[in-house]
Amino acid sequence: MPLVTYRDALNQALREEMRRDPAVFLMGEEVGVYQGAYKVSRGLLEEFGPERVVDTPITELGFAGIGVGAAMAGLRPVVEFMTWNFALLAIDQIVNSAAKMLYMSGGQVPIPIVFRGPAGAALQLAAQHSQSFDSYFANIPGLKVVTPATPADAKGLLKSAIRDNNPVVFIEGEMLYNTKGEVPDGEHVVPIGVADVKREGTDVTLVAHSKMVGLALKAAEELAKDGVSAEVVDPRTIRPLDVATIAASVRKTNRCVVIEEGWPVAGIGAQVVDDIQREAFDWLDAPVLRVTAADVPMPYNKHLEKLAKPDVPRIVAAVNRVLYRA
Amino acid sequence: MATKVVMEALSPTMEEGRLVAWLKQEGDAVSAGETLAEVETDKAVMELVARSDGVLRKQLLPEGATVPVGTLVGVIGAADEDISALVGPSATASAAAAGAAPASRQPPAMPTPAHVGRIFASPLARRLAAERGLDLGAVTGTGPSGRVVKRDVEAAQLAMASAKAAERLPQATAGAVRAVRPREPAGVASAAATPAASAVAAPAVPLAPPGGYRDVPLTQIRKTIAKRLVQSLGPIPHFFLTTEIDMERAADARTHLKSLGDAYAVSFNDLVVKACALALRRHPAVNAAFLDDRVRYHGDVHIGMAVAVEDGLITPVVRHADRKGLAEIAAESKALAEKARARRLTPEEYTGSTFSVSNLGMYDIDEFTAVINPPEAAILAVGRVAEKPVVVNGAVVPRRMMRVTLSCDHRVVDGATGAKFLRTLKLMLENPLAMLL
Amino acid sequence: MPEPGTRTVSTPPTAPGTDAATMRRLLRDMLLLRRFEEKCGEAYALGKIGGFCHLYIGQEAVAVGAMAALRPDDTVMASYRDHGQALARGMTARAVMAELFGKAAGCSGGKGGSMHLFDASLNFLGGHGIVGGHIPLATGAAFAIKYRGGDQVSLVFFGEAAVNNGAFHESLNMAAVWKLPCIYICENNRYGMGTAIERASALYDVAQRACSYDIPAEVVDGMDVLAVRDAVHRAALRGRERKTATLLEVRTYRFMGHSMSDPIHGHYRTRDEVEEQKTRDPIRAFAAKLRADGLLDDEAWQAMEAEVADEVEDAHRFADEAPDPDPSALTTDVYREP
């Protein structure tokens, strides 16, 4: 199986879907001539032309709304935010227009749109450029929220998102674009709403999504040296969450640590913990613990930034606590 | 005026009872003092009697159900009286809901005094304990704040499993069965002189399918045994002293007495009980109990004897064993054992011991260690009397020898004290005439 | 009105009709809007309509005139003051009234309400509650038209308070840069809720803002149904033939408060001003014109009144008697699954 970067996997997905369905088009800042701020859309302008690969002015609210309007009229837009930090400007269109349209119209007007872009911290980008808003969108009925961690998942899920008849918030990661992974040849579609066990284990369940999957896998290796067998469950889709797979894992291991890149208060992990305690209460031998970002804006300094982000030692410490090990 | 029939506390330690059988049916006339039903307590099967005259209007508990003490189980009233007030939905509901007996109702055994009355346990530990009939309160928790977690429940279950394993031994007949593992819990003993295996009704062990298993819910007595053993083995610092006793003279004396007729027949165990009682008189430090913040030294000597019953073990008590003659001890212990096997012991008959004796000799056990019955300070584990080559006056001769092991609570009895007691015991048994002094 | 810059526009080859039937139809449509909105006011006061209710009374000429210049395959979007546009676009009084009453037979299944009237079959795509928020949506519809190579136009109604909004600015800019066939109709009724335009807008003449985007703009008398119709027709031609967007500032007036919670004059306008504006009632003015042109007599007028009254009464009764949505409707239409 070929090794493909996360970035190229996304590129493949866009290309394949745009070839497959003429109603699909890409819109965003620098997606065309510049070849994409992160080169995700490299070569697409050349293949599909400026009508289908549309460079926009720096007007997130405007072009997100135009995307929704185009979807109302039957097209299938992919709206790229250079980063999700800027999507706050467009949140009115995502939440009040895209998410609500089908319901408000009594089922008449679906919005088959994908909003995509990178989120979360990179390196020393400081407070306004390092944020994770997955829980903002996961909160909204009418939206789907997808967070692929690997190139294979990125490709398969983007294809599904584009084919989905609902607004999909598709969250990538700058730090993921260069990662490589095996991506199956040919038509590769991953269903939305299905979690993936990335590593099997018996002693503890680690739930992690997006960039945190890699971290969880590293932590699992560390733990294995100590005789602890950790199972890593990647939800892949945050809304709707595959609670069944997560709960089944916790029933197997009796203990769980949830890892997320975002802030702790009302973060995605809080929802996961709620689902676990309801679905697997009698199988829990310890409280479910979370490892999250520090509850602070992201600092610029390199060392402070490290302190602000989850890391392997913190995950291992949490695992030891739920195992009642010193 | 209708009266309630409730599950009464039929033993001092009873907290729940299982209604074995109704002896009176709905519509039957009853008078005060008549037995309404048979109830299995934590120790024995007792009678639940009517406290008033009238007609048993309602049986609120089905046979086989277990309910906490105080639960409404029936109503006695006049034949035509309206009893709806007493038999409201809440009344029947609480009776009906009693089907699944909660195992974890006992107060917490160990832990941090700060949490008296409240057991901290993980949901998993609670569920496992409930499924396996373990009393959560009796399990030592090793999590934060004394939280009982899975590994604690598993440890407790392991202790129970080894008790069960000991239970299975009665079936072994061939050869000497060696119980060498330390911490073997108080095993089975029969006070009767007859050899064991055939006399004890073998507990019915369900056949498990190959590759699978069969679960049997715990009976009241099993639950109590489990609870008590864990309460003992866990917190009490046991140490063990073993000595080998030359039983030649005792054996001869016994044989001789037997030849005088049944009225004079005594068992080895009777001799041991008497010898223990006398030794305790000489070593009052061992006739003691540990009570949290003090040691109690008893004025009387009451010896508990472990008796195997159908599904477990109970310890009827020979009171004032030091004052009773061997014949009386023999008769009493035989009667008590029979009553124990028939589950008809009264609370007075199985409580109040100051020292216990457990005898596995009839199962060919050479020696073993017994678990102390708290709050007693010690227990004697008695092995079989067997002919062994022994050096006497420089020559190797066959002698009938018996090994006994004294388990002591180190908080009350230290090594020297226990050893001295044993030495006296040995003296008594090796010189039975001394017991007349 | 001449266009800014050096652009010129030729007379449209096909002018909208001026025959008697068409004229009377325009009058009847405006009358329907008027009586319908009056009925809504009544129903709201009786608690049959809940939440927000923004009445269109006084602005009828704008909706009716605009729709008369459009084709069925054009797209229309409006703000929350959308009853008039919905009816003018062709939704039945029954469907609209039932929606206002929250019934299952309402155009949005009872799940939208007054601010979210939709009828996809008529290309009437809402009914939107966020001021200015739908302007990008309509621009997107224009984008789709161009993407598909069609000659439809996308028309969007909004108030003058929305033109200060970022969404307005971003939309018109992109419509201009990308040459999208979008017609932006600003119904300037002088008040954004309780704030007069002078207090909110640095530039009083909304139409002048078009120069920021270098697109054509017109100021139109919103009390004159024919003026509105003609202006929209011109804009539609521009859009169809040259993919040019147009900004129309239609000056009108609302005779009622901002919504049912707002008194008629309140603190922000005088009774005299309202009374003065009422003398320019578009329906009365157009009826007078038709009489003068011999296209309407008393009998015809009374017949029209009676017919409209019946239609509104029928809609009211229908809405009243229609059942509520089934509780299961709570959780439907959140997602469209294949």
Side-chain angles (χ1 to χ4, degrees), chain B residues 288-355:
Chain B
F290 185 81
L291 296 173
D292 274 341
D293 61 343
R294 59 198 181 281
V295 176
R296 171 166 299 172
Y297 296 102
H298 294 291
D300 298 324
V301 174
H302 306 306
I303 307 277
M305 306 172 323
V307 174
V309 295
E310 187 189 308
D311 185 35
L313 152 75
I314 197 164
T315 313
V317 180
V318 176
R319 298 177 70 78
H320 301 289
D322 57 319
R323 293 194 228 142
K324 288 177 176 161
L326 266 178
E328 197 177 345
I329 289 175
E332 213 178 286
S333 62
K334 192 166 167 197
L336 283 171
E338 265 170 32
K339 258 187 130 178
R341 281 191 286 275
R343 313 290 286 286
R344 296 239 158 257
L345 286 173
T346 66
E348 303 75 49
E349 287 169 337
Y350 59 76
T351 54
S353 53
T354 62
F355 182 89

Side-chain angles (χ1 to χ4, degrees), chain A residues 14-61:
Chain A
L14 285 167
R15 202 179 288 267
E16 286 171 20
E17 293 306 299
M18 286 173 76
R19 284 179 190 156
R20 182 178 172 270
D21 184 350
V24 179
F25 70 96
L26 176 67
M27 176 161 68
E29 295 159 16
E30 314 298 357
V31 296
V33 173
Y34 194 82
Q35 303 288 298
Y38 296 99
K39 303 292 175 275
V40 173
S41 55
R42 178 167 39 204
L44 295 181
L45 175 64
E46 285 71 24
E47 179 169 345
F48 300 101
E51 292 81 17
R52 297 187 68 195
V53 182
V54 180
D55 281 323
T56 65
I58 304 178
T59 48
E60 276 77 10
L61 170 64

Side-chain angles (χ1 to χ4, degrees), chain A residues 22 24-25 52 54-55 59 62-63 65-66 69-70 73-74 93 96 101 103-108 142-144 166 239, chain C residues 107-108 111-112 116 118-120 125 128 130 133 136-137 140 143-144 147-148 170 174 178 330 332-337:
Chain A
V24 179
F25 70 96
R52 297 187 68 195
V54 180
D55 281 323
T59 48
F63 67 74
I66 286 179
Q93 293 299 335
N96 275 323
M101 201 70 67
Y103 195 85
M104 288 194 303
S105 65
Q108 295 180 66
L143 294 180
K144 297 190 181 179
N166 298 284
R239 179 182 184 111
Chain C
C107 57
S108 305
K111 287 157 75 164
H116 306 302
F118 281 81
D119 190 331
L125 299 183
H128 298 269
I130 308 294
L137 300 179
F143 181 98
Y147 186 96
R148 291 197 181 100
E170 295 182 25
M174 279 186 270
W178 294 340
L330 177 68
T332 56
D333 305 318
V334 182
Y335 294 101
R336 169 68 65 89
E337 296 304 345

